[in-house]
């Protein structure tokens, strides 16, 4: 199988993301591979472990996004490609999907395009479906696992709110994985050695034959969540039993439960 | 001069740090309290390359450079002294003699299993009831060639990993006449008949890293288990120990780093006289000293590792790194308890474990006194 896994470089989940002067900032916190995308890489690698083939990591972003790609290489992806162009600054989800779809077509012969369920920065969670639409591939989103693959079909188990749903689709397809796929593997030293020596090609919009995407959505204002008034009350009592009972009363009185 | 890690080393540090933070550090308290080796994490170390740091890829290892090896042990030390010690001993003492002095057949036979994480680990046995650093005269365990096998009799002490090892590389006397050419290293599989491993020693710290006495009674191993030539054992041991000392230095840096992080966090949270204790100069000075000494020790360790990776002599620098880093770790972990006050003395807080773990480091793999002796000899020989 030839699998393309799309990864994004995002601020570390431990970073404090705030709005300052109308701009989103995470200070000097490091950028990391989107945690959901690590599951996507893991899912893709597991498929290739079983079925044979290769996984190519693809990202759109500036030079720093190479770090996310190197992480994917260190985990075991065979190649990595970065799409980078000054005209892509601030592009929306649809624009991103157009770029990724064009890159998948340029790579050619792809059986499966794999995403994480969403990116932890924008949290839109629509890029996988949009990319599928643009490629004309079926979108099998929120896959918890792959039940079976043949030369032209794939069966996945989806994790949805109501439970699990088994869906079959034609290949080539777009998949997004949830964390049910299993813990992402740790990069090995051998993988790191390969990643640190890898030359990652950078494709521009010209090379993809795309015009600069025109945004369909914009963010007129970004606001911090309103500060909440928090008061702390220490519950005291002679015995743990008494403290617990008082706590239960409080919880019921405040309608927390 | 260039003080920057390479991209490979930087990525490696981050990968090992993440692994340790998730798999090793959260278990450190339990590992210590139950004196139970952390097999669960160790099994996962094989695919990462942590169990074959200095073993070439063709024998199942990662073949990392000496600085990357030091980084790995430092990060493990940051997570858990016990786990770090066993993994350092496995790599630096157990596997290293085979990597350095083993022939092709020995490497193929002994290394792939122990580097995979699927089998047990490797160990080195030097010390005896009557022999520590005075190996040349002190080693009484003897091996006699009988046909195509060695017959080994004797007792070893303080063998890290003996009960969790597939084999123990053992220093034995092969020439009863004595002298520096009378010792040899022989690989003894722990399942061999006549090998008796004593119960785990009850220790002050690094309790999750099992240490044992071993007894060999007419133990018979094939002649081809000898590493290199008979009589090279003392020289081989000294070479192995040079590398091991860099590892213990790195481990100590990790322990001290962990203790300082705990102390720093506590000092920010704990208030006395209406302010966090981090605002008191007495506490600030301890923290500043800790950060400075950790940094100094780290550079000593990396420098010794760098010399090793360049193929340059590094015996003196390895001793300096071990001496300073281990004694530094004692001071830093001691002060971390001091900053915690009464809570620091409680097993509920990790700093007392750091202190107990650090205490071993100035003893194992050559005491501080032996390190000073080695450094002094180099100084006097160089200038005299």
């Amino acid at each position: 199988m030839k699998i393309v896994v799309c990864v994004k470089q995002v601020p570390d989940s431990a970073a404090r993301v705030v709005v300052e002067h109308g701009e989103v900032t995470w200070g000097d916190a490091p950028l990391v591979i989107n945690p959901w995308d690590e599951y996507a890489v893991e899912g893709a690698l597991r498929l290739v472990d079983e079925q044979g083939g290769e996984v190519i990591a693809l990202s759109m972003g500036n030079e720093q996004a190479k770090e996310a790609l190197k992480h994917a290489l260190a985990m075991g992806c065979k190649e990595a490609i970065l799409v980078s162009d000054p005209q892509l600054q601030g592009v929306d989800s649809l624009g991103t999907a157009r770029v990724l779809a064009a890159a998948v077509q340029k790579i050619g012969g792809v059986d499966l395009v794999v995403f994480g369920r969403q990116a932890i920065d924008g949290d839109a969670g629509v890029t996988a479906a949009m990319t599928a639409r643009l490629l004309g591939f079926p979108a099998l989103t929120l896959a918890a696992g792959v039940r079976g693959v043949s030369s032209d079909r794939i069966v996945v188990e989806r994790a949805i709110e109501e439970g699990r749903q088994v869906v079959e689709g034609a290949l080539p397809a777009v998949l997004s994985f949830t964390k049910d796929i299993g813990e992402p593997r740790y990069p090995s030293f051998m993988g790191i050695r390969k990643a640190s020596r890898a030359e990652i090609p950078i494709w521009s919009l010209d090379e993809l034959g795309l015009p600069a995407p025109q945004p369909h959505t914009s963010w007129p204002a970004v606001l911090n969540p309103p500060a909440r008034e928090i008061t702390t009350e220490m519950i005291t009592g002679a015995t743990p039993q008494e403290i617990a009972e008082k706590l239960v009363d409080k919880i019921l009185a405040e309608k927390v439960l | 001069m260039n003080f920057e890690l390479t991209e490979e080393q930087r990525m490696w540090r981050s990968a090992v740090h993440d692994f340790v933070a998730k798999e090793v550090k959260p278990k450190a308290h339990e590992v210590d309290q139950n004196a139970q080796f952390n097999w669960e994490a160790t099994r996962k170390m094989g695919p990462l390359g942590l169990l074959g740091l200095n073993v070439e890829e063709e024998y199942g290892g990662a073949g990392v450079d000496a600085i990357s090896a030091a980084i790995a042990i430092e990060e493990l030390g940051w997570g858990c002294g016990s786990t770090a010690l066993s993994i350092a001993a496995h790599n630096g003492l157990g596997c290293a003699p085979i990597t350095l002095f083993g022939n092709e057949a020995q490497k193929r036979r002994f290394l792939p299993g122990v580097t995979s994480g699927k089998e047990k680990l490797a160990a080195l046995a030097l010390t005896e009831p009557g022999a520590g650093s005075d190996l040349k005269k002190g080693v009484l365990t003897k091996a006699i060639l009988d046909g195509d096998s060695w017959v080994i009799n004797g007792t070893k002490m303080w063998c890290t990993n003996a009960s969790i090892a597939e084999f123990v590389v053992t220093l034995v006397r092969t020439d009863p006449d004595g002298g520096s050419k009378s010792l040899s290293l022989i690989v003894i599989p722990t399942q061999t008949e006549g090998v008796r491993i004593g119960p785990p020693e009850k220790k002050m710290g690094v309790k999750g890293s099992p240490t044992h006495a071993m007894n060999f009674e007419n133990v018979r191993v094939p002649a081809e288990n000898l590493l290199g030539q008979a009589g090279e054992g003392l020289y081989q041991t000294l070479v192995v120990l040079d590398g091991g000392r860099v590892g213990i230095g790195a481990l100590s840096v990790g322990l001290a780093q962990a203790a300082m992080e705990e102390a720093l966090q506590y000092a920010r949270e704990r208030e006395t006289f209406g302010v966090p204790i981090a605002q008191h100069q007495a506490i600030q000075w301890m923290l500043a000293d800790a950060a400075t000494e950790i940094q100094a020790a780290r550079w000593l360790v990396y420098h010794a590792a760098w010399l090793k990776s360049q193929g340059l002599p590094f015996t003196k620098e390895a001793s300096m790194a071990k001496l300073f880093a281990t004694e530094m770790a004692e001071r830093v972990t001691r002060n971390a308890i001091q900053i915690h006050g009464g809570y620091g003395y409680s097993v509920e807080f990790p700093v007392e474990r750091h202190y107990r773990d650090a205490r071993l480091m100035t003893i194992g793999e050559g005491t501080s006194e032996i390190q000073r002796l080695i450094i002094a000899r180099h100084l006097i020989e160089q200038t005299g």
Side-chain angles (χ1 to χ4, degrees):
Chain A
M1 294 190 89
K2 190 168 181 181
I3 304 178
V4 170
V5 57
C6 300
V7 299
K8 187 177 185 186
Q9 181 88 331
V10 297
D12 195 330
S13 55
R16 213 172 76 84
V17 181
V18 291
V19 178
E20 275 175 15
H21 316 296
E23 296 280 330
V24 179
T25 174
W26 47 88
D28 53 4
L31 292 165
V32 296
I33 184 171
N34 174 35
W36 295 110
D37 296 346
E38 282 189 83
Y39 291 96
V41 175
E42 178 63 30
L45 290 172
R46 283 187 192 198
L47 269 173
V48 161
D49 288 345
E50 288 163 19
Q51 310 281 332
E54 59 177 20
V55 182
I56 300 165
L58 171 65
S59 188
M60 188 197 85
N62 58 21
E63 193 76 13
Q64 285 178 310
K66 276 189 177 175
E67 295 288 316
L69 289 170
K70 288 194 171 177
H71 187 88
L73 285 172
M75 283 176 75
C77 292
K78 194 158 175 273
E79 282 177 56
I81 297 160
L82 176 67
V83 180
S84 195
D85 198 302
Q87 298 179 87
L88 289 169
Q89 185 71 31
V91 67
D92 65 1
S93 296
L94 186 57
T96 305
R98 280 191 207 286
V99 168
L100 294 176
V104 167
Q105 273 161 343
K106 185 172 158 76
I107 291 166
V110 175
D111 298 299
L112 210 53
V113 183
V114 175
F115 287 81
R117 63 174 297 162
Q118 66 205 69
I120 62 163
D121 54 355
D123 266 338
V126 293
T127 311
M130 287 174 163
T131 308
R133 176 71 181 83
L134 291 163
L135 285 165
F137 295 179
L140 310 176
T141 54
L142 304 180
V146 176
R147 286 248 184 130
V149 187
S150 68
S151 60
D152 59 350
R153 313 287 294 172
I154 185 163
V155 183
V156 302
E157 187 174 306
R158 299 182 69 226
I160 55 176
E161 265 184 40
E162 296 80 2
R164 294 292 172 106
Q165 185 185 50
V166 178
V167 182
E168 186 176 337
L171 289 176
V174 169
L175 224 68
S176 79
F177 277 120
T178 66
K179 61 195 291 186
D180 304 278
I181 187 72
E183 280 302 299
R185 64 197 63 190
Y186 294 102
S188 69
F189 190 84
M190 295 68 90
I192 288 170
R193 179 179 290 150
K194 200 186 76 183
S196 68
R197 292 173 191 176
E199 288 287 335
I200 296 177
I202 298 179
W203 291 353
S204 65
L205 283 173
D206 272 355
E207 279 165 280
L208 292 177
L210 283 183
Q214 296 306 310
H216 291 261
T217 52
S218 62
W219 297 9
V222 189
L223 307 169
N224 283 313
R228 280 188 296 178
E229 290 280 328
I230 297 172
T231 53
T232 308
E233 184 186 340
M234 293 300 292
I235 298 171
T236 54
T239 63
Q241 172 98 21
E242 190 189 327
I243 297 171
E245 279 167 7
K246 282 188 189 172
L247 180 62
V248 169
D249 290 343
K250 283 266 177 207
I251 287 171
L252 292 175
E254 297 285 335
K255 296 194 171 63
V256 177
L257 284 176
Chain B
M1 291 274 300
N2 183 356
F3 283 97
E4 263 182 343
L5 296 178
T6 64
E7 183 177 20
E8 186 176 292
Q9 290 161 345
R10 203 168 45 74
M11 283 178 79
W12 174 239
R13 176 189 286 287
S14 150
V16 178
H17 187 86
D18 289 349
F19 172 80
V20 172
K22 216 160 157 186
E23 311 280 352
V24 178
K25 206 171 169 76
K27 295 280 168 65
H29 179 71
E30 193 183 324
V31 158
D32 175 70
Q33 289 297 301
N34 303 337
Q36 198 104 50
F37 179 64
N38 189 347
W39 268 120
E40 203 188 337
T42 305
R43 295 268 174 248
K44 296 181 185 170
M45 290 180 196
L48 270 78
L50 284 169
L51 300 181
L53 291 173
N54 45 34
V55 176
E56 296 103 316
E57 280 190 50
E58 53 194 304
Y59 308 114
V64 314
D65 64 280
I67 293 176
S68 292
I71 287 171
I73 301 300
E74 177 187 340
E75 291 297 336
L76 284 164
W78 170 78
C80 171
S82 291
T83 309
L85 182 69
S86 276
I87 301 305
H90 160 79
N91 280 295
L93 303 181
C95 293
I98 298 175
T99 310
L100 289 167
F101 309 113
N103 57 35
E104 174 74 18
Q106 289 167 331
K107 290 180 186 178
R108 292 220 174 277
R109 193 170 141 213
F110 294 115
L111 294 174
V114 297
T115 54
S116 69
K118 291 184 181 125
E119 292 182 7
K120 289 182 163 186
L121 301 177
L124 176 71
L126 305 175
T127 305
E128 297 191 4
S133 293
D134 50 344
L135 295 168
K136 189 160 77 178
K137 289 190 180 140
V139 169
L140 296 177
T141 299
K142 60 175 192 246
I144 294 165
L145 195 58
D146 177 32
D148 58 359
S149 51
W150 292 100
V151 180
I152 300 147
N153 280 284
T155 303
K156 291 287 176 184
M157 294 286 289
W158 302 115
C159 177
T160 301
N161 291 356
S163 62
I164 53 169
E166 207 66 40
F167 58 79
V168 179
V169 179
T170 308
L171 186 67
V172 295
R173 192 167 298 280
T174 40
D175 179 357
D177 293 342
S180 59
K181 295 275 166 65
S182 65
L183 300 172
S184 305
L185 287 176
I186 294 179
V187 186
I188 305 180
T190 49
Q191 294 301 313
T192 316
E193 199 183 333
V195 174
R196 208 181 67 80
I197 297 169
E201 301 288 347
K202 291 192 163 63
K203 301 177 307 227
M204 172 183 177
V206 286
K207 294 179 182 186
S209 169
T211 316
H212 302 266
M214 295 185 79
N215 203 294
F216 304 106
E217 198 178 331
N218 292 321
V219 171
R220 208 169 256 279
V221 297
E224 62 259 28
N225 282 20
L226 173 76
L227 294 180
Q229 302 295 317
E232 292 177 343
L234 183 64
Y235 156 76
Q236 292 169 337
T237 300
L238 294 178
V239 172
V240 167
L241 284 176
D242 282 345
R245 281 171 188 148
V246 179
I248 297 298
L251 202 170
S252 302
V253 171
L255 276 173
Q257 176 73 34
M260 186 188 73
E261 287 174 12
E262 294 293 339
L264 197 54
Q265 189 190 339
Y266 185 82
R268 284 190 183 124
E269 288 168 5
R270 165 80 169 166
E271 291 191 5
T272 61
F273 306 102
V275 291
I277 61 170
Q279 300 298 322
H280 300 313
Q281 196 178 53
I283 303 296
Q284 290 175 353
W285 285 21
M286 281 193 267
L287 290 170
D289 285 347
T292 307
E293 289 197 69
I294 289 169
Q295 190 72 321
R298 187 176 281 129
W299 288 123
L300 278 175
V301 168
Y302 289 2
H303 179 237
W306 179 81
L307 288 170
K308 185 183 176 195
S309 69
Q310 299 297 309
L312 295 166
F314 69 103
T315 303
K316 181 182 74 182
E317 287 76 9
S319 284
M320 285 175 164
K322 185 193 184 267
L323 171 66
F324 185 78
T326 58
E327 297 198 341
M328 172 283 291
E330 280 187 4
R331 288 190 293 273
V332 169
T333 53
R334 183 249 178 224
N335 281 349
I337 295 179
Q338 205 66 20
I339 290 168
H340 279 70
Y343 292 107
Y345 201 63
S346 159
V347 294
E348 301 298 321
F349 285 74
V351 286
E352 66 84 34
R353 168 166 46 82
H354 295 142
Y355 184 58
R356 287 186 287 107
D357 288 353
R359 189 62 190 84
L360 170 73
M361 305 304 154
T362 58
I363 300 169
E365 297 195 35
T367 58
S368 282
E369 291 66 37
I370 287 292
Q371 306 311 326
R372 288 191 169 88
L373 185 138
I374 293 169
I375 298 162
R377 274 188 192 157
H378 272 81
L379 291 175
I380 294 159
E381 276 168 25
Q382 275 170 15
T383 52

